[in-house]
Amino acid sequence: YEVLSPGCHLYPFNVTIRSDRRGTCRGTHVAFACVGYCESSAFPSRYSVLLASNFTHNVTSASRCCTISKDAKVKVRLDCPRGRRHDDIEILTARACRCDMCRKSRY
Amino acid sequence: RGMKGRGRNAATNLQRFTGCAVREFTFLAKKPGCSGLHITTDACWGRCETWEKPVLDPPFIESHQRVCTYNVTQLVTVQLPNCSASVDPAYTYAMALRCHCGMCVTSTTECITSG
């Protein structure tokens, strides 16, 4: 996994799910996150931006962030002691990644 | 308006560059009532680590979004040419002394993002 290179890539991690605090039933699954390095820059704002912000926004930042562009649900089976059963738990995993809009309102 | 690398090696290295650095930036400073002035200054450019990770609880996606932006800023004032008598020729812009991967602070920065 080329996590340290430019771009936005799938990155595996282990998810452990417990049925309760004591962890009576538990299951582990490998899910994927998106991790990477997308381009961003910051430069002096245009005069129209300066005017519109009452001369407070003197820097403009233009950015893209590594985001999950396609996801999927996967079922994780929980193993319980003494033959008990627990329903499967659905978790999300990334299927594809892309440098795209930074979605947080404040990023 | 644009960022410039220095020479062919710089251009090649920029394709692999991760991190956030001061970089030369040229733009046209202009305001109504004056002629424009081409200015070359220091701005910020790079690639910062960002990620999105599925989590079990709402909102089900945890994200980390730091972007390459000014860390230490110096305001520079220049005089624009050929201004009308009623217009102040002073034009102030932000020069980057240091850049970092950080939050885009909406109180001081116009934060724009595109797909």
Side-chain angles (χ1 to χ4, degrees):
Chain A
Y1 296 98
E2 292 183 81
V3 164
L4 285 171
S5 64
C8 176
H9 314 280
L10 288 168
Y11 185 78
F13 66 102
N14 281 321
V15 186
T16 299
I17 299 169
R18 295 174 180 81
S19 60
D20 53 35
R21 282 198 181 164
R22 290 165 55 196
T24 309
C25 306
R26 63 169 69 192
T28 301
H29 196 84
V30 175
F32 288 88
C34 291
V35 183
Y37 292 83
C38 304
E39 268 190 50
S40 53
S41 61
F43 43 83
S45 296
R46 288 169 186 269
Y47 192 70
S48 56
V49 171
L50 294 174
L51 265 189
S53 68
N54 202 19
F55 294 89
T56 57
H57 291 186
N58 49 37
V59 172
T60 295
S61 152
S63 308
R64 298 210 296 167
C65 291
C66 183
T67 64
I68 297 173
S69 59
K70 204 187 286 179
D71 61 19
K73 285 178 181 168
V74 287
K75 285 184 174 162
V76 179
R77 172 158 297 170
L78 303 193
D79 293 320
C80 305
R82 294 185 295 277
R84 281 170 55 196
R85 259 192 60 77
H86 194 286
D87 289 342
D88 293 349
I89 302 280
E90 274 193 342
I91 61 164
L92 274 181
T93 184
R95 284 268 187 259
C97 307
R98 193 167 70 182
C99 288
D100 204 341
M101 285 181 70
C102 302
R103 279 188 255 252
K104 277 189 178 176
S105 54
R106 281 173 60 97
Y107 54 85
Chain B
R1 293 171 75 83
M3 298 279 185
K4 273 206 180 119
R6 294 184 175 92
R8 183 189 281 188
N9 283 341
T12 309
N13 292 339
L14 288 178
Q15 288 176 15
R16 306 291 305 164
F17 177 78
T18 56
C20 173
V22 174
R23 190 173 172 194
E24 197 175 274
F25 179 78
T26 300
F27 69 105
L28 181 64
K30 58 176 181 180
K31 65 179 181 181
C34 299
S35 296
L37 179 66
H38 283 282
I39 292 174
T40 295
T41 186
D42 285 336
C44 302
W45 181 86
R47 296 184 184 92
C48 298
E49 187 187 84
T50 51
W51 50 258
E52 280 191 343
K53 176 187 180 184
V55 289
L56 296 173
D57 301 310
F60 303 111
I61 301 282
E62 190 182 324
S63 59
H64 175 86
Q65 299 183 337
R66 297 282 186 273
V67 299
C68 183
T69 190
Y70 285 42
N71 186 18
V72 183
T73 305
Q74 183 178 321
L75 293 178
V76 179
T77 300
V78 293
Q79 306 296 313
L80 296 186
N82 308 320
C83 296
S84 356
S86 59
V87 175
D88 178 5
Y91 187 98
T92 300
Y93 64 90
M95 179 174 84
L97 295 182
R98 254 190 264 160
C99 304
H100 72 154
C101 292
M103 302 269 286
C104 191
V105 179
T106 52
S107 58
T108 60
T109 308
E110 186 78 6
C111 303
I112 57 176
T113 178
S114 62

